[in-house]
Amino acid sequence: MNIKHIPNLITSLRFVGSISLLFFSLESPVFRITYLLCGISDMIDGHIARRLNATTETGALLDSIADLCMISVCAIKLIPIISALPYWIWIWIGAIALIKVANIISSIVYLKKVVFPHTAANKITGLLIFIALPLLFFYDAYAVYPTGIVCIIATFAAIQEGHYIRTRC
């Protein structure tokens, strides 16, 4: 195996790890360890790719797909404890999702390909989601404030992402 494939391998393992979370209870040590490893892999794959001079559009797209998979699996795991969040937060999350879908459509229209900009705001949003999800999983009564903060940052990140796509930055 070529050393330049290591970042994509790490990202692919995050995808597999994310899917495996579906099969474990939130309280299990396996879930917690896998969740932690998926989060760590998200933080290191891009860094390793840059260090190895192995960044590619394919790798960036694979990273975004693995991120989407992780968030989707975590959302599925949250369904049983949905009552912990007020209705207005779900509307806000839906609005962010709509902005992200509009960004994908915009990237196809303006750039003729699907683009997921890796902005600083998107990275901060990912880190905050990674930190906030355990609050929902394990401390649902205290999750409204961190979720609100994540929604504020995620809204900014989604709008900024759309701006970058439309201005071709």
Side-chain angles (χ1 to χ4, degrees):
M1 170 195 267
N2 186 336
I3 195 166
K4 295 203 178 220
H5 295 295
I6 290 174
N8 287 347
L9 176 64
I10 292 169
T11 304
S12 298
L13 289 173
R14 179 168 74 253
F15 181 79
V16 172
S18 298
I19 297 295
S20 75
L21 291 174
L22 290 169
F23 303 101
F24 302 108
S25 105
L26 296 174
E27 295 81 23
S28 77
V30 176
F31 181 92
R32 293 175 185 194
I33 291 168
T34 304
Y35 179 81
L36 181 65
L37 290 174
C38 286
I40 291 169
S41 74
D42 188 25
M43 290 183 247
I44 66 169
D45 59 355
H47 178 71
I48 292 172
R50 286 185 292 280
R51 295 273 283 178
L52 295 175
N53 197 25
T55 57
T56 64
E57 284 188 31
T58 302
L61 182 61
L62 184 63
D63 181 63
S64 295
I65 292 169
D67 291 345
L68 180 62
C69 179
M70 177 77 171
I71 290 171
S72 298
V73 166
C74 289
I76 290 166
K77 296 299 279 188
L78 285 173
I79 289 171
I81 55 175
I82 199 169
S83 62
L85 292 175
Y87 187 67
W88 60 269
I89 288 190
W90 288 107
I91 292 171
W92 196 350
I93 291 169
I96 294 167
L98 287 175
I99 294 169
K100 298 288 264 182
V101 168
N103 290 343
I104 292 169
I105 293 168
S106 292
S107 74
I108 293 168
V109 170
Y110 288 104
L111 306 174
K112 308 294 186 239
K113 61 183 176 179
V114 176
V115 175
F116 297 97
H118 289 257
T119 65
N122 274 336
K123 291 178 187 213
I124 292 168
T125 300
L127 177 63
L128 290 176
I129 289 171
F130 177 71
I131 293 167
L133 281 176
L135 295 175
L136 291 173
F137 292 149
F138 309 115
Y139 309 104
D140 56 350
Y142 304 103
V144 173
Y145 298 113
T147 305
I149 291 168
V150 170
C151 284
I152 290 168
I153 303 298
T155 302
F156 172 78
I159 292 168
Q160 180 189 45
E161 179 180 277
H163 172 73
Y164 282 1
I165 289 168
R166 287 173 195 86
T167 60
R168 296 174 171 86
C169 289

